[in-house]
Amino acid sequence: MTRLRAYTRRISMLATSMLFATLVIAPHALAALAIIEYDVPTGSSTPYSITAGPDGNLWFTENTGNKIGKITPSGAITEYVVPTSNATLTGITTGPDGNLWFGEGNANKIGKITTGGVITEYNIPTTNGGPWGIITGPDGNLWFTETLKNKIGKITTSGVVTEYALPSGVEPTGITPGPDGNLWFVEESAYIGKITTNGTITEYNVGGNIRFDIITGPDGNLWFTDYIGNNIGKITTSGTVTNYAIPTSNAYPRGIITGPDGNLWFTEGGVGKLGKITLSGAITEEDLSSSSAQPVELVTGPDNNIWFTESFINKIGALTGVPVIGQNSNSTSGTNGANSSNNNQTADPAAPETGFGEPANSSVVRLLAAASLLSIGAGIALVGRPRILQLRTHRSCK
């Protein structure tokens, strides 16, 4: 009898541990990828660059709409008119002073907007400089590219501008802080460059032309989009380049970021896709709602979703359900380490297929959910019954 009781206890403990495993596995197994889109209120405004603001919202430029947009993680959009008309707004970033800083390509200015919507503009000394990319540097200043005059600019938070001419290359575009304490930038030429915070520029002739964006990867290398070559490139801080071909031809990659999953994510403006590349070079592509969406730039939001602009169809999109390094699917922390709620979409088996409770200006494009099977002896138990709305299509390559 004692042995029977002991055996019964062991069976009970085993069943409990398996149930616990089920409860732990289920959230991960039911993690879903979904794309949600939000209409920009101003028609044909051409949303372009996007960044995560210090206020927990996403901020973006409207290239032809002449406005700065703010979108909350729940999809509510507010727009602010830029004082200079026909400014042609380009890049935007969060500054060290807690404001948002942006480029005005046609107006030849650098703009600043507070989280309350107050805008200040600063003239660039060189006429028709064509400011494009902008980023906060390790020295506490804002650094930007002057595409039309082949210069790198620096502006202090008080508005003082210094400019540095490129030695060889032309038309710098994207710019990012590097892992070596320098600023790295790409050009619409055969060069990739770096500039020290003291203004010393080094350029690497890597062949090809027209690279749009660059970002520091989690591996300590710089990753960039090769617009004409149809590649995602990697350059070491010593200047060695490796290229990885994008599976879809004429993808015309634009923006690139490090995602919450530790991979690099990029936009494919020519074919309406988002791409993901691992540090080993494996590429996966995700279709957007329209092949003519023309996504431009993207950013990881405070909700750990990947937010992006869709310039041609005038929308802001969010890719939800991307795994977050070191976290399970029930918790998330923002890019600045602040805790925030998890906005990833998972299917409720009892809910109608369209019942996601999204704002009226949003549309759920697709939801891919996977059920987990837990084997118990000779039987199989299904954990959860997620509803599959539309399977994603993707291609992979090394």
Side-chain angles (χ1 to χ4, degrees):
M1 180 63 71
T2 301
R3 290 182 178 178
L4 179 60
R5 288 174 180 167
Y7 181 73
T8 302
R9 281 197 300 270
R10 287 173 186 163
I11 292 295
S12 177
M13 291 173 63
L14 177 60
T16 301
S17 64
M18 295 179 75
L19 176 60
F20 177 76
T22 301
L23 294 175
V24 171
I25 292 172
H28 292 279
L30 298 179
L33 277 181
I35 291 178
I36 304 172
E37 295 173 314
Y38 303 92
D39 294 316
V40 176
T42 299
S44 302
S45 67
T46 319
Y48 187 81
S49 182
I50 188 168
T51 193
D55 57 350
N57 298 310
L58 291 305
W59 291 74
F60 59 94
T61 55
E62 298 180 29
N63 182 262
T64 57
N66 216 60
K67 296 177 180 179
I68 300 297
K70 175 183 72 175
I71 182 170
T72 68
S74 61
I77 295 178
T78 306
E79 298 172 294
Y80 304 92
V81 178
V82 173
T84 302
S85 60
N86 301 315
T88 310
L89 307 182
T90 53
I92 188 169
T93 193
T94 295
D97 56 352
N99 297 310
L100 289 303
W101 291 74
F102 56 93
E104 301 182 29
N106 190 53
N108 203 50
K109 298 178 180 181
I110 297 297
K112 175 182 73 176
I113 182 171
T114 69
T115 55
V118 178
I119 296 176
T120 306
E121 298 172 296
Y122 303 93
N123 291 315
I124 294 174
T126 299
T127 58
N128 301 318
W132 191 318
I134 186 168
I135 199 72
T136 295
D139 58 348
N141 296 309
L142 286 304
W143 291 77
F144 59 94
T145 56
E146 295 183 44
T147 301
L148 299 182
K149 288 299 173 72
N150 309 324
K151 295 182 178 182
I152 302 298
K154 176 183 71 175
I155 183 170
T156 67
T157 54
S158 59
V160 178
V161 177
T162 307
E163 298 170 291
Y164 306 91
L166 300 183
S168 304
V170 296
E171 299 182 11
T173 49
I175 186 168
T176 193
D180 54 356
N182 300 311
L183 287 304
W184 286 73
F185 55 92
V186 287
E187 307 175 20
E188 293 189 16
S189 68
Y191 293 91
I192 293 177
K194 72 177 177 184
I195 182 171
T196 68
T197 53
N198 293 324
T200 301
I201 295 177
T202 304
E203 292 178 299
Y204 300 91
N205 189 334
V206 298
N209 60 12
I210 306 188
R211 298 172 182 88
F212 266 116
D213 205 4
I214 187 168
I215 195 75
T216 295
D219 57 350
N221 296 310
L222 288 303
W223 292 73
F224 59 90
T225 52
D226 183 353
Y227 186 79
I228 295 298
N230 211 56
N231 299 314
I232 298 300
K234 176 181 69 176
I235 183 170
T236 67
T237 53
S238 59
T240 302
V241 171
T242 305
N243 288 312
Y244 302 94
I246 296 173
T248 302
S249 60
N250 300 317
Y252 298 121
R254 298 292 298 264
I256 187 168
I257 61 165
T258 297
D261 56 354
N263 297 308
L264 288 304
W265 288 79
F266 57 94
T267 59
E268 299 182 25
V271 291
K273 296 175 185 283
L274 296 183
K276 178 183 75 175
I277 181 169
T278 66
L279 299 182
S280 61
I283 294 178
T284 303
E285 299 171 286
E286 300 288 343
D287 293 325
L288 300 180
S289 62
S290 170
S291 60
S292 60
Q294 290 187 18
V296 183
E297 293 193 3
L298 67 176
V299 70
T300 300
D303 51 3
N304 283 317
N305 296 323
I306 294 178
W307 291 76
F308 54 94
T309 56
E310 297 179 283
S311 61
F312 189 74
I313 62 175
N314 210 52
K315 297 176 185 289
I316 301 297
L319 175 67
T320 71
V322 178
V324 179
I325 292 178
Q327 298 179 13
N328 62 38
S329 61
N330 283 335
S331 64
T332 181
S333 62
T335 53
N336 296 320
N339 292 329
S340 60
S341 61
N342 185 1
N343 291 325
N344 295 349
Q345 299 292 331
T346 55
D348 180 356
E353 292 187 351
T354 56
F356 287 89
E358 294 298 327
N361 65 332
S362 73
S363 59
V364 178
V365 178
R366 73 172 169 275
L367 178 63
L368 173 65
S372 172
L373 297 180
L374 179 63
S375 177
I376 304 177
I380 296 179
L382 179 65
V383 181
R385 295 186 297 106
R387 191 185 305 272
I388 300 176
L389 300 184
Q390 181 178 343
L391 293 178
R392 67 183 179 185
T393 57
H394 68 271
R395 303 172 185 172
S396 299
C397 77
K398 291 285 186 180

